[in-house]
Amino acid sequence: MVSAAPGFAGLPGAVAVSHLSVYDWPAADGVCGGTPHLHLTCSEAYVVTGGRGAVQTLTTSGYEVTPLAPGTVAWFTPGTIHRLVNEDDLRITVLMQNNGLPEAGDAVLTLPPKYLTDPETYAAATVIPADAPEEERERIARARRDLALEGYRALRDADGPEALAAFHRAAAALVRPRLTEWRERWERGAQAAAAATGDQLDRLEKGDVSHLADAAVRAEQPSAYGRFGMCGRLDVYQGT
């Protein structure tokens, strides 16, 4: 992994990477795949590396299905409810804004409204204890996926925009206590990376190439393999 600029050691632009094997668990509608959710401050991109499937999305513009096959790059902006569908061993490299914030808090599952009333109620329905046995973690991951699909189907079937708007408001209220932490992460990451580029441009305009002497190369292996994520099993990188 190459440093984006002097003083910033993360991946270019403070993006983060994880490798995803999408769940092959069938849901009540007969579709195999992950847990529908949205991000509030981060865009996310899928680089499909194997298998086939789709991503179902729901926004104020309506419901869409985007096919996913090897070589596809698909991305979406904050507020996009997305559900990954696994049709045949779907594997994806996920690119995330803000140093991986989508996997570090910027995600709200589409649970039914009664689970979105406060952070404690939401956490009780969604947190997977890291020290639980593998079988128990899988059970919880499947249960929260199925619960989120209940809310997702209600949002898809709703008449008019109010149900989606209400979910947006509930999601924003759930994450509000963590916004200071998120802002600090952004300042250390994407803002710092952009500022470093501005500094480099200023230097070059003055004929100052001293920052080129600070060039560095970095590499990293996943820090965890097969973690239960929202959409599937994740290989994640600590440094991103």
Side-chain angles (χ1 to χ4, degrees):
M1 297 180 184
V2 181
S3 175
F8 182 76
L11 282 168
V15 71
V17 174
S18 64
H19 300 300
L20 172 66
S21 296
V22 180
Y23 291 133
D24 59 2
W25 306 330
D29 59 1
V31 175
C32 298
T35 308
H37 61 280
L38 61 66
H39 308 298
L40 291 94
T41 65
C42 296
S43 292
E44 192 169 75
Y46 296 151
V47 182
V48 182
T49 57
R52 291 188 179 275
V55 58
Q56 300 177 353
T57 55
L58 182 63
T59 68
T60 55
S61 298
Y63 171 73
E64 296 183 50
V65 178
T66 302
L68 300 176
T72 300
V73 178
W75 64 95
F76 42 85
T77 57
T80 304
I81 295 174
H82 48 289
R83 178 198 187 189
L84 274 172
V85 172
N86 186 355
E87 297 172 355
D88 181 20
D89 191 26
L90 182 59
R91 285 166 283 122
I92 293 171
T93 294
V94 183
L95 308 179
M96 298 163 284
Q97 269 191 309
N98 298 318
N99 299 85
L101 184 56
E103 290 176 3
D106 182 8
V108 175
L109 310 187
T110 56
L111 303 185
K114 69 179 182 179
Y115 297 96
L116 305 175
T117 55
D118 59 82
E120 293 75 21
T121 302
Y122 178 81
T126 58
V127 171
I128 301 176
D131 57 353
E134 171 100 358
E135 296 80 3
E136 177 65 5
R137 283 181 282 136
E138 178 174 333
R139 184 196 68 77
I140 297 171
R142 293 187 70 151
R144 75 176 185 181
R145 190 279 306 268
D146 293 342
L147 191 61
L149 284 172
E150 289 184 29
Y152 172 69
R153 285 191 292 269
L155 291 171
R156 276 186 55 183
D157 295 342
D159 292 327
E162 178 51 34
L164 187 56
F167 176 70
H168 289 167
R169 292 192 295 270
L174 283 174
V175 305
R176 191 168 294 119
R178 303 188 64 184
L179 293 182
T180 297
E181 171 193 339
W182 293 7
R183 182 177 295 276
E184 291 171 353
R185 189 185 189 101
W186 166 70
E187 289 172 345
R188 295 193 307 269
Q191 187 184 54
T197 299
D199 179 67
Q200 291 169 352
L201 291 169
D202 291 342
R203 289 169 181 261
L204 291 173
E205 283 186 342
K206 299 173 183 177
D208 177 0
V209 297
S210 59
H211 66 281
L212 300 180
D214 297 325
V217 178
R218 296 174 174 84
E220 186 175 328
Q221 294 296 318
S223 58
Y225 294 86
R227 193 177 75 186
F228 286 99
M230 289 172 287
C231 298
R233 300 297 294 264
L234 290 167
D235 298 340
V236 299
Y237 293 83
Q238 185 67 37
T240 61

